[in-house]
Structures are given as structure tokens and as C-alpha cells.
Amino acid sequence: MTAETTDETDEWRGWRAAAEAALYGPDGFYRRPEGPAGHFRTSVHASPLYAEAVARLLCRVDEALGRPASLDFVDMAAGRGELAAGVLAVLPADVAVRTRAYAVELADRPAGLDDRVRWLAEPPQGVTGLLFANEWLDNVPVEIAETDSTGLPRRVLVRRDGTERLGEPVRGAEAEWLARWWPLGAEEGLRAEIGLPRDEAWAAAVATLDRGLAVAVDYAHRRDARPPFGTLTGFREGRAAAPVPDGSCDITAHVALDACAAHGMARLTAHPTMPATERTLPGARLMRQRDALRALGITGARPPLTLATTHPAAYVRALASAGEAAELTAPGGLGDFGWLLQPVGIPDTLLDGA
């Protein structure tokens, strides 16, 4: 790809604006009736064990908060509300009766969703409890940068049909973000996803908590292992596809969760009303999904063969559950997802031993 000097027209846009329209516009991908589950499989869709693990985490948050009279559970990018409904279904009765569940999603509320789930376009403020964002940040659109023949990072512009060309040099806060979090070499064609909008979105979500825990789960990478040509891709009907911003497919890119963590901590420590004692509590933790889920009781261990003889039906159920747990924790698959845990006003001891 080479830089061009022709005037930009309305059909050339940065990837952030193009993906925003393609995903969330009036005819965007996430407003389609089949929802995300019609095109790709997340941990939420893979097994009800995932909702059980999140419910256990909510109970641990509840204990850390001192069992408040009202406990919040906020499901960010809720899809069709599957996780929120699943968590409510398995909570102990004494916790469920105190829990206010919120599903945050731009699409319309689906028919048949548990009446206890409140449907919102933006997260509520003043949350006391758990904010959980499963595969949200990878769909927060970002600009793409690519080095030109002189080694200068430039914004990548795209048309609705997916055709790309290079635009203006990356400047200002975006250039500063690249320098700190994803420095590009001088080789022509190196690419990066400028994660500043995700940092800001995460910091804003964390700021909705008065006390509790914010968790982001996503495809992720760290500064010492950024992919040299980026991760921008599309998904359509269960398969990877070219990222074409016409509303026909999901458009996603992996998340620099380490940058999000730093931005979220900076937002919290700068908060003028947060007590100094809370500012000194442990900060964010980054871990793999397989380790987080094992700490929450999802092991994937096979049931003993003796159970097949004594209780065959129970053995079959336990074997199926073990298979689902294995999928959620598998290296090279869902188990490699990153978990960012950011406590607000409570100690970071909820997944000790992970």
C-alpha cells in the first residue's frame, strides 16, 4: 500500500468511523435480528458453565462488599442478554433477591428475556457490584496505522467495499499512544490498531463503579508481543472473513488490555472524591481465561470411570460438562482470552491462587 496525494472524498474514511457505521449504524451488523450468536461463538454461547463462573465471581464480589442490600451486575455488550439471564438463573436465592441485573446493548431488547434484566443503551452510574464486559472492547472501533515507504505511520483509510489506502500521518494523542503502547518499526507495511478509544471506553466503564470489580474479557496481546501486521478481521456466519465495513460482517481487532488497564487506573487515581485509602488498593490484574475460570471452579476434569457403572446418566452429564469446561479453558482457543480485573474500593483477592 502506498500513500496517495489525491483529495479525499466522502467515501474514504478512517477505520474507526467506517467500523462504527458498519457495526452500530441504523443498518449495522449488531442491530441485525439474529444477533452476534448467529455469526460467532463466544464463551457465553459455548456453555452455561461460563455464566456459573461469572455468578461465582459476583458472589465473591458480594462478600468483599459486605453483602450490600442492593448488588449490581452489569453485562456490557450484552448481545441478546444471555449472560445476564444465565447469571440470574444460577445465583443463590439470597444473592439473587438482592441483585439488580443490567444488560447494556445498543440493539433493541429481545423478546422473552428475563423480566429481571434491565435493558440499557449506556451503563448505569453508581454501580456497587460487578461490571462484566465479555468481548466488548474488541468491537470498540479504532483507527488503523500503517508505516509508509519512509517508515512514517499513517492512518489507513477505507471505503465501504473494503478498499484501503494511506491517509495523513498519525499525530497528537494517537501518535503518543503508538509510541507508548505499540511502537512501529520503520519497515514499510507494519500495522497497528490505535487502542486509545478502547482505553477511554474502559476508563469510562470503570468510572461507573462506586465500589466493586470491573472485568474485561477479550482477544488480547501485550506490548512485548504485539502482532506486526495487526489483527483486524471480520466474522460472518461462523467463519473469519475480510473486514469489509458494509454491515455484512462483524469487524473486530484484538485488544491491548495492558493499555486499557493503565488508562483505567489513571482515571481512578485521579478521581477527586475517591478516599486516599482506596487509591492505594492493588491495581489491575491481567490473566488468561483458563486461569481465571479454574480459580472459579471450572476445571475440565473428567469424571471417574466408576461413575459410569454406578450412575450412568450422571456420568454422561459430567462428561459433557467436562467437555464444555475443556473448551472454555483450552490453550489455543477460548482459554487464551485475556481477563483484565480492575477492583474499585475492594482488595484484589477475588481470584487468589490463579
Side-chain angles (χ1 to χ4, degrees):
M1 185 184 302
T2 59
E4 297 184 6
T5 58
T6 55
D7 291 338
E8 291 184 17
T9 67
D10 289 341
E11 62 182 347
W12 290 105
R13 294 186 289 180
W15 264 105
R16 183 181 181 188
E20 185 77 32
L23 296 177
Y24 307 114
D27 299 316
F29 176 82
Y30 276 95
R31 296 186 184 273
R32 294 170 61 161
E34 71 271 20
H39 294 268
F40 51 85
R41 180 179 173 87
T42 72
S43 297
V44 176
H45 307 122
S47 170
L49 292 176
Y50 195 74
E52 292 178 16
V54 176
R56 291 191 192 107
L57 181 57
L58 178 60
C59 289
R60 294 186 187 184
V61 172
D62 183 42
E63 291 294 333
L65 290 168
R67 297 176 58 82
S70 182
L71 178 69
D72 297 319
F73 176 67
V74 181
D75 180 12
M76 294 292 297
R80 294 301 179 263
E82 300 97 334
L83 181 60
V87 167
L88 285 175
V90 296
L91 281 175
D94 64 313
V95 179
V97 73
R98 294 183 287 111
T99 298
R100 296 182 300 186
Y102 301 90
V104 181
E105 182 59 69
L106 292 178
D108 294 336
R109 181 188 182 97
L113 181 64
D114 190 320
D115 291 338
R116 294 175 293 173
V117 178
R118 308 179 191 190
W119 196 262
L120 302 175
E122 298 286 343
Q125 298 295 315
V127 170
T128 298
L130 174 62
L131 180 145
F132 201 88
N134 185 70
E135 294 194 47
W136 168 47
L137 290 173
D138 68 303
N139 286 125
V140 174
V142 295
E143 297 291 2
I144 310 298
E146 181 176 321
T147 53
D148 65 13
S149 59
T150 70
L152 181 67
R154 293 180 176 270
R155 289 176 66 221
V156 176
L157 306 181
V158 64
R159 294 193 302 197
R160 184 177 168 84
D161 65 1
T163 304
E164 293 183 338
R165 71 173 178 87
L166 296 189
E168 69 278 7
V170 177
R171 298 186 177 92
E174 292 181 340
E176 293 173 4
W177 190 95
L178 278 181
R180 180 179 180 186
W181 293 109
W182 197 327
L184 290 171
E187 179 185 344
E188 183 178 6
L190 295 177
R191 287 171 70 117
E193 291 113 24
I194 305 174
L196 185 59
R198 293 169 173 178
D199 296 354
E200 294 170 342
W202 177 245
V206 172
T208 66
L209 272 74
D210 282 349
R211 293 180 68 224
L213 178 70
V215 180
V217 182
D218 238 310
Y219 299 96
H221 44 62
R222 301 196 189 195
R223 190 182 187 280
D224 60 356
R226 304 286 190 226
F229 303 105
T231 62
L232 185 71
T233 191
F235 282 95
R236 182 186 295 110
E237 297 177 355
R239 297 182 179 181
V244 179
D246 62 358
S248 68
C249 66
D250 187 26
I251 297 173
T252 180
H254 295 195
V255 183
L257 281 180
D258 47 358
C260 293
H263 211 88
M265 282 304 302
R267 177 74 169 265
L268 285 176
T269 55
H271 198 289
T273 63
M274 178 173 288
T277 54
E278 293 186 5
R279 296 183 195 179
T280 62
L281 287 172
R285 186 194 301 202
L286 290 167
M287 59 198 307
R288 296 290 188 186
Q289 172 157 297
R290 56 179 172 269
D291 299 319
L293 291 183
R294 285 168 182 162
L296 292 167
I298 307 299
T299 65
R302 293 173 62 90
L305 285 175
T306 54
L307 188 63
T309 302
T310 58
H311 296 90
Y315 176 78
V316 171
R317 290 194 298 270
L319 192 63
S321 179
E324 293 174 2
E327 180 181 2
L328 290 172
T329 59
L334 294 175
D336 285 346
F337 271 52
W339 278 46
L340 164 56
L341 298 97
Q342 198 131 29
V344 179
I346 61 174
D348 180 23
T349 59
L350 300 173
L351 292 182
D352 275 0

